Amino acid sequence: MGVLPKANDACWCGSGKKFKRCHKNATDPIRPGRISPLRPVPDTIAKPTWADGGDVERWDEPRVKSPEIIERMRRTGREAADVLAYLGTLCQPGVTTEEIDAACHQAAIDRNSYPSPLEYPGMVDPFPKSVCSSVNEVICHGIPDDRALVDGDIINLDVTLFKEGVHGDTNATFFVGQVDDISRKLVNVTRECLELGIAAARPGRPINEIGRAIQTHAEDFGFGVVRDFVGHGIGEQFHTDLQICHYYHPRQTDIIEPGMTFTIEPMITAGSYRINLWDDGWTATTADRSRTAQFEHTILITDDAPEILTTPSDTSSHPYWSLAATV
Ligand code: MF3
Ligand code: CO
Ligand code: CO
């Protein structure tokens, strides 16, 4: 884990100015807020093993999925994407992340789905909410709380649904009102990183080609690639043993095969890629409090371009979806 730059250090943004005269107080740091009580999920909804205080069950799940599982993953993936697209419309100044979580929770239930993050076991406590909401310098796994979004924020929402016995996992970073140029660039480059990572996921190639494509693009803009969180195999389990680094990892040489399903979910930073983990065991921020963005899709490897399983039904609601649909 890294440390916050000293006041007289050069700012991470490359301006050449001292940190204290540049981005130190550009936005108020994100701090732990008030977290509301656990929301129940009706008994009519099929739940993963960790619901109601259970453990994550792990087994040797085939990396190459059957056509029958793939059909289920297509349906669940689309449901997750539809929820994410809807939540994106809520990202306006004055709206709390708690309100976005409540909307996610209800949307999941309305779709006969379990919101997979809810009660997912962690290093300290289980995740207490139905969506991860990560604002500004929060890299991932932010816990929805009573903080209201502010004009100029960027917010990542990470939605995973469990339905028909499979998970669909997808996230996107949204602008709140008018956002500064560095943040805009960061978010757009991160989206391109995901698209390039997906384009590199062709059968016969080693897995590490994905990270190579992502890292090359991010570093072309002077941005950092987070190392501490990776993409993952997904299916009947939320996270399988298959790991997808978003930087070039020389030993990730397993060959990509048709029928594999996994996520690609690059976390890109405007400054240092080093992380600081809060005492809650979940919230990860950049060590230098530089802003960070993320996009995620669940994909299926085919004989040619991957099939994106987390494209929403209506791709017109946000520019991101129409782009993602054409990769
Ligand atoms: N959706 C996240 C991922 O992309 C995982 C969130 S785990 C949680 O893998 F418990 F924080 F929800
Ligand atoms: Co994921
Ligand atoms: Co996710």
Side-chain angles (χ1 to χ4, degrees), residues 157-310:
L157 296 174
D158 192 342
V159 173
T160 311
L161 295 189
F162 179 69
K163 187 179 185 182
E164 295 190 62
V166 294
H167 298 270
D169 187 5
T170 182
N171 76 48
T173 302
F174 301 96
F175 299 128
V176 180
Q178 288 304 313
V179 167
D180 68 66
D181 289 346
I182 296 184
S183 303
R184 231 167 242 287
K185 189 78 196 163
L186 173 70
V187 170
N188 290 331
V189 168
T190 305
R191 197 195 64 231
E192 290 160 7
C193 282
L194 173 58
E195 288 164 3
L196 291 167
I198 292 172
R202 294 289 185 122
R205 296 191 192 165
I207 288 273
N208 61 12
E209 288 297 329
I210 298 169
R212 190 207 293 275
I214 292 169
Q215 182 175 18
T216 301
H217 192 60
E219 291 180 356
D220 273 352
F221 293 87
F223 294 147
V225 179
V226 171
R227 310 311 204 234
D228 297 71
F229 303 98
V230 296
H232 49 93
I234 182 168
E236 296 185 294
Q237 296 173 88
F238 192 169
H239 301 104
T240 72
D241 63 318
L242 177 62
Q243 298 200 345
I244 317 291
C245 290
H246 303 113
Y247 56 96
Y248 177 72
H249 191 302
R251 289 185 302 284
Q252 271 199 343
T253 53
D254 287 7
I255 300 299
I256 300 170
E257 288 176 62
M260 282 181 163
T261 53
F262 53 82
T263 74
I264 304 178
E265 48 183 298
M267 284 143 272
I268 306 300
T269 61
S272 168
Y273 62 75
R274 298 200 180 277
I275 78 156
N276 181 39
L277 191 66
W278 286 8
D279 292 341
D280 62 19
W282 285 109
T283 313
T285 74
T286 52
D288 61 1
R289 290 200 197 126
S290 64
R291 286 190 170 194
T292 165
Q294 182 181 23
F295 286 87
E296 174 177 29
H297 273 307
T298 299
I299 65 167
L300 165 69
I301 301 303
T302 75
D303 289 328
D304 37 55
E307 180 179 333
I308 298 172
L309 299 179
T310 42

Side-chain angles (χ1 to χ4, degrees), residues 67-130:
E68 185 273 326
I69 292 195
I70 289 170
E71 268 312 310
R72 286 189 273 141
M73 290 187 72
R74 283 196 178 104
R75 290 192 290 267
T76 302
R78 184 176 309 116
E79 299 271 15
D82 285 345
V83 172
L84 177 61
Y86 158 57
L87 298 184
T89 67
L90 306 181
C91 295
Q92 307 292 338
V95 176
T96 65
T97 48
E98 156 75 24
E99 289 168 325
I100 295 170
D101 176 71
C104 181
H105 190 83
Q106 192 56 49
I109 290 171
D110 290 347
R111 292 166 184 274
N112 254 300
S113 306
Y114 183 90
S116 309
L118 190 64
E119 294 200 79
Y120 192 75
M123 286 186 283
V124 180
D125 288 317
F127 195 80
K129 293 283 153 199
S130 297

Side-chain angles (χ1 to χ4, degrees), residues 28-55:
D28 290 339
I30 303 297
R31 301 201 183 281
R34 191 183 299 273
I35 298 167
S36 68
L38 200 71
R39 288 170 205 281
V41 175
D43 285 333
T44 49
I45 289 176
K47 298 175 182 179
T49 55
W50 55 86
D52 307 313
D55 287 329

Side-chain angles (χ1 to χ4, degrees), residues 313-319 321-322:
S313 325
D314 174 11
T315 53
S316 67
S317 63
H318 189 278
W321 313 119
S322 43

